[in-house]
Amino acid sequence: MTLKKLSELHKLLDNKPFKRLVLAAAHDSQSLGAVLKAAADRIVQPVLIGDEKEIRRLAGEANQNIEGIKIINEHDVEKTSEIAVKMVHNREADVLMKGKVGTSTLLKHILDKNWGLRTGNLLSHFAIFEVKTYHKLIAVTDVAMNIAPNLREKISIINNSVSCLNMLGIDMPKVAVLGAVEMVNESMQATLDAALLSKMNQRDQIKNCIIDGPLAFDNAISLESAIHKGIKSEVAGDTDLLLMPDIEVGNVLYKSLVFFAKAKVASVILGAAAPIVLTSRSDSEQAKYDSLLLAAATAK
Ligand code: COD
């Protein structure tokens, strides 16, 4: 089954046993709302770590049932992250989710050498969007974890994303490596990396996808624009995955899609011992719920 809309994410979990999820700093209305909805839908069995009184107040305020759900009362936000990460490390949970805690605080624990969630792979952020003006779902990476990935890191980011897209039913995803222009310019590192990644893909050094680049954003998503510029490309206008040159470009695109284009989004950190839901404060409860489904679907 190829996923066409984010509202179909639940189909990936149908008839599968529920996943154990741990929410760090659970006293956050939107993360808590998303988790309790997923618990009511029998998709996850959560453990909530945070200020218990506040968690109960927020659940009551939203009329959500919290009966039978395990809560670990912990007021220190830093400690909630440590306990949550250790639970995943010890295989007591299948999915980690961020609540009211800073991204860097949680990432620090995730990357802890002794009890973090490292696997030897690069961890990377993967976001998948439903945009009204595009003919299929489109993924964007990395907009939130790797700041300025080098060539080697970009290969890992592509591999992480391709595995996730395969799981979403896209067998041979088309990957556009973005630059400001579609010609190689020796002064623009993104275009040099893009050309190398494309050649490595042609030589089967990066498998299970079709890579082309450099492509500017317009040729990546619009065939008309590519034809207009005389670009012949299997990827142009039909991209499944946009590889960002760095976190700034990625983050601005992510937020432009959400705020200007009103796109729907689900996102997850891949490459760790377990999937991690690391949505930002500005993400809606629906985006957190969809991200949770995506993470649960990728969990072993
Ligand atoms: N995957 C695996 N291991 C990693 C990764 C990764 N993506 N990043 C760092 N590591 C390992 C390194 O190999 C090293 O052993 C250790 O972690 C520390 O590495 P540093 O010193 O390069 O990294 P830090 O601790 O300075 O920073 C790592 C962060 C992930 C915190 C940093 O890259 C970061 O701040 N990213 C942006 C996070 C963010 O603010 N996102 C919000 C956007 S909404």
Side-chain angles (χ1 to χ4, degrees), residues 79-130:
K79 199 92 179 118
T80 65
S81 305
E82 185 183 326
I83 298 168
V85 170
K86 281 183 174 163
M87 280 182 69
V88 180
H89 177 92
N90 296 333
R91 297 179 193 278
E92 293 162 38
D94 309 303
V95 178
L96 171 65
M97 182 160 173
K98 171 175 109 81
K100 204 172 191 170
V101 51
T103 301
S104 54
T105 305
L106 189 58
L107 283 176
K108 197 183 82 187
H109 291 289
I110 289 167
L111 292 174
D112 186 278
K113 285 201 171 94
N114 298 317
W115 41 259
L117 306 180
R118 291 168 181 244
T119 55
N121 294 330
L122 188 83
L123 274 62
S124 62
H125 184 269
F126 171 92
I128 185 141
F129 288 91
E130 184 182 323

Side-chain angles (χ1 to χ4, degrees), residues 48-243:
L48 309 172
I49 309 178
D51 179 338
E52 180 166 358
K53 210 169 145 196
E54 183 63 0
I55 292 170
R56 291 195 181 281
R57 190 190 70 75
L58 290 170
E61 202 175 78
N63 259 329
Q64 279 176 310
N65 185 9
I66 205 157
E67 280 312 302
I69 290 180
K70 185 172 174 186
I71 303 176
I72 298 175
N73 186 25
E74 176 56 68
H75 290 248
D76 181 344
V77 164
E78 176 98 30
K79 199 92 179 118
T80 65
S81 305
E82 185 183 326
I83 298 168
V85 170
K86 281 183 174 163
M87 280 182 69
V88 180
H89 177 92
N90 296 333
R91 297 179 193 278
E92 293 162 38
D94 309 303
V95 178
L96 171 65
M97 182 160 173
K98 171 175 109 81
K100 204 172 191 170
V101 51
T103 301
S104 54
T105 305
L106 189 58
L107 283 176
K108 197 183 82 187
H109 291 289
I110 289 167
L111 292 174
D112 186 278
K113 285 201 171 94
N114 298 317
W115 41 259
L117 306 180
R118 291 168 181 244
T119 55
N121 294 330
L122 188 83
L123 274 62
S124 62
H125 184 269
F126 171 92
I128 185 141
F129 288 91
E130 184 182 323
V131 194
K132 284 194 191 85
T133 46
Y134 196 61
H135 59 285
K136 58 182 174 180
L137 293 178
I138 186 161
V140 181
T141 188
D142 177 328
V143 312
M145 176 121 200
N146 293 284
I147 296 173
N150 60 26
L151 183 72
R152 186 189 287 262
E153 290 164 340
K154 285 178 182 175
I155 296 168
S156 299
I157 293 171
I158 292 175
N159 286 333
N160 282 348
S161 304
V162 167
S163 302
C164 190
L165 286 164
N166 290 163
M167 189 275 301
L168 298 177
I170 302 158
D171 288 335
M172 192 56 95
K174 295 180 181 174
V175 182
V177 184
L178 290 191
V181 289
E182 48 285 329
M183 296 299 163
V184 175
N185 178 328
E186 63 187 40
S187 306
M188 296 184 189
Q189 187 58 45
T191 67
L192 297 171
D193 286 353
L196 287 169
L197 291 165
S198 305
K199 184 51 81 179
M200 290 174 84
N201 176 240
Q202 277 177 19
R203 294 281 183 270
D204 233 11
Q205 287 175 273
I206 308 171
K207 297 187 201 321
N208 302 326
C209 57
I210 303 166
I211 303 180
D212 196 12
L215 287 172
F217 183 68
D218 53 341
N219 351 118
I221 56 147
S222 154
L223 183 60
E224 199 185 346
S225 163
I227 291 169
H228 190 67
K229 285 198 174 158
I231 297 163
K232 291 194 186 84
S233 163
E234 238 184 298
V235 173
D238 197 34
T239 299
D240 295 295
L241 173 68
L242 292 163
L243 180 75

